[in-house]
Amino acid sequence: MMTLSWENQTVIVEFVLRGFSSILQLNISLFIMFCIFYILTISGNILIVLLVLCNHALHTPMYFFLVNLSFLEVCYTSNIVPKMLLIIIADLKTISVVGCLAQFYFFGSLAATECLLLAVMSYDRYLAICQPLRYPILMTGSLCFRLATGSWFCCFFLTAITMVLLCRQNFCGPNEIDHFFCDFAPLIHLSCMDTSLTETIAFATSSAVTLVPFFLITVSYSCILTAILRIPSGTGRRKAFSTCSSHLTVVTVFYGTLIATYLVPSSNSSQYLHKGFSLLYTILTPMFNPIIYSLRNRDIHGALKKCLSKKSGFII
């Protein structure tokens, strides 16, 4: 354990991520499984990005936001999974304090950005279903760009506030983190300084970027549901609902796992649950998102067939 002396205290300069040390006999199986998940996540999300960028018919607000979400998922998983794989297979559990704080910063910023992007996408679906005639006028290219860039900038800025306060903390041991990545709670528990201000600011900023978007998503889908129920024909209702069903599924999975993770009380016996739920929203959800969006999406299917036909030289 690398330490430095600071005012008669032992200051930690690196942490040890315990990962899944309690199930060492499954290391090879876990490595293979998570490696496959990671490859599927990266390839699936990059495929969606390339399909949208290469197909002019997909240059619409909905797919513009989907590209942002897919790119975010690639960054999100790449921030956590490679280090986790090294912990499992090579037993490289140490991470510097600077590296740990950087991982937390990108994790927190990207997770918050996903919340805002999901809210923006729900607003897009609200306009498409509840204001179909005015949709092209309301959801312009410049507005899409401002909403997307605003989501990224706002979340990275708000997380930076917590990050600045966290960087001022001194960690004086123990230096073990019983997790597979650097999250806020285990980090703050290792501080040997007063953390009340840091925890208050972190709670305020995290609430702003999770609860406010969740409220906006709820309001948007309440209006969408009301509008769909007013459609006289069953075919029309099914068609309208199909345009937002994929997004609603992603929102449910993402917020469901996120809420479940942080509602579990902090204790030694519940640490397995924390890790399990964390795996859901850091690995499984990013992997399933491109599947959910493309499973019943005729536009994605058409773009993929068109791309394959160009590559193979015949019509599929």
Side-chain angles (χ1 to χ4, degrees), residues 21-189:
S21 56
S22 58
I23 47 176
L24 293 175
Q25 64 274 18
L26 298 178
N27 271 3
I28 296 179
S29 299
L30 288 175
F31 176 81
I32 294 174
M33 180 176 66
F34 292 146
C35 192
I36 292 173
F37 288 168
Y38 181 58
I39 293 172
L40 291 175
T41 300
I42 298 300
S43 58
N45 283 287
I46 288 180
L47 177 61
I48 284 185
V49 172
L50 294 177
L51 285 176
V52 174
L53 292 179
C54 297
N55 194 304
H56 186 74
L58 300 182
H59 291 181
T60 63
M62 181 176 72
Y63 292 107
F64 171 75
F65 295 128
L66 182 57
V67 165
N68 274 266
L69 184 63
S70 295
F71 176 72
L72 182 147
E73 301 287 24
V74 171
C75 299
Y76 188 61
T77 53
S78 297
N79 179 50
I80 294 174
V81 177
K83 178 60 180 178
M84 184 183 71
L85 293 175
L86 289 175
I87 293 173
I88 294 174
I89 199 65
D91 203 32
L92 297 176
K93 297 182 178 182
T94 58
I95 183 171
S96 67
V97 171
V98 174
C100 194
L101 291 174
Q103 187 186 57
F104 161 72
Y105 174 67
F106 285 105
F107 161 72
S109 300
L110 292 169
T113 303
E114 181 159 2
C115 292
L116 286 192
L117 282 177
L118 290 175
V120 168
M121 293 173 77
S122 71
Y123 175 66
D124 172 71
R125 292 300 83 205
Y126 161 75
L127 291 180
I129 293 175
C130 300
Q131 304 284 339
L133 298 180
R134 300 178 61 199
Y135 177 73
I137 301 174
L138 295 174
M139 190 57 72
T140 61
S142 60
L143 178 61
C144 292
F145 180 78
R146 290 198 300 271
L147 288 172
T149 55
S151 299
W152 286 87
F153 175 79
C154 177
C155 293
F156 273 79
F157 174 75
L158 289 177
T159 308
I161 298 175
T162 301
M163 187 65 179
V164 170
L165 295 173
L166 199 57
C167 287
R168 297 174 62 184
Q169 299 291 322
N170 288 289
F171 305 97
C172 51
N175 73 326
E176 287 193 354
I177 297 177
D178 190 12
H179 215 320
F180 57 87
F181 71 97
C182 297
D183 202 356
F184 178 78
L187 272 174
I188 209 70
H189 288 159

Side-chain angles (χ1 to χ4, degrees), residues 203-225:
F203 177 78
T205 54
S206 61
S207 297
V209 296
T210 54
L211 297 182
V212 173
F214 183 72
F215 172 75
L216 295 176
I217 291 171
T218 303
V219 171
S220 296
Y221 273 102
S222 297
C223 297
I224 289 172
L225 181 60

